[in-house]
Amino acid sequence: MPRYVSVVVRFSEEGAITPLEVEWRDGRKFMVDEVADCRRGASMKTGRRGMRYTVRIGAHWTELWLDERGRWFVEEKVLEMPTTV
């Protein structure tokens, strides 16, 4: 399931979009330290299509998506609980 987020971006004179900051629903903000890649693709977890930005936030690499409707999302990570035997 996609987790929609607010994103602060910069637009170049040529129209390129560079994400600068991601804001969660709870108000926490995370600076994007590096954008390593940007390409059209489809999220295998959500089935949504759009532009996939591979970004570094601190020491962590993740994918930030801009869908075809102009909404930003990340693929929600679900923690699995250990099973007991």
Side-chain angles (χ1 to χ4, degrees):
M1 173 163 219
R3 167 73 64 180
Y4 288 100
V5 293
S6 295
V7 178
V8 175
V9 302
R10 177 178 52 230
F11 290 91
S12 73
E13 292 178 3
E14 296 81 26
I17 301 170
T18 303
L20 303 175
E21 181 180 85
V22 178
E23 182 177 349
W24 291 102
R25 286 185 187 167
D26 65 6
R28 290 181 294 156
K29 297 179 181 181
F30 302 92
M31 298 298 297
V32 174
D33 297 306
E34 182 180 351
V35 178
D37 189 40
C38 174
R39 65 179 66 198
R40 186 164 292 286
S43 167
M44 300 304 279
K45 291 183 181 178
T46 68
R48 301 205 190 280
R49 300 185 58 79
M51 295 301 292
R52 181 187 70 204
Y53 292 79
T54 302
V55 300
R56 182 175 58 83
I57 297 174
H60 303 281
W61 288 95
T62 191
E63 294 177 342
L64 181 61
W65 294 82
L66 178 60
D67 73 14
E68 294 174 330
R69 294 181 179 172
R71 295 175 66 188
W72 292 92
F73 72 92
V74 294
E75 295 174 334
E76 190 167 27
K77 293 181 168 87
V78 178
L79 300 176
E80 293 184 22
M81 298 300 292
T83 57
T84 56
V85 179

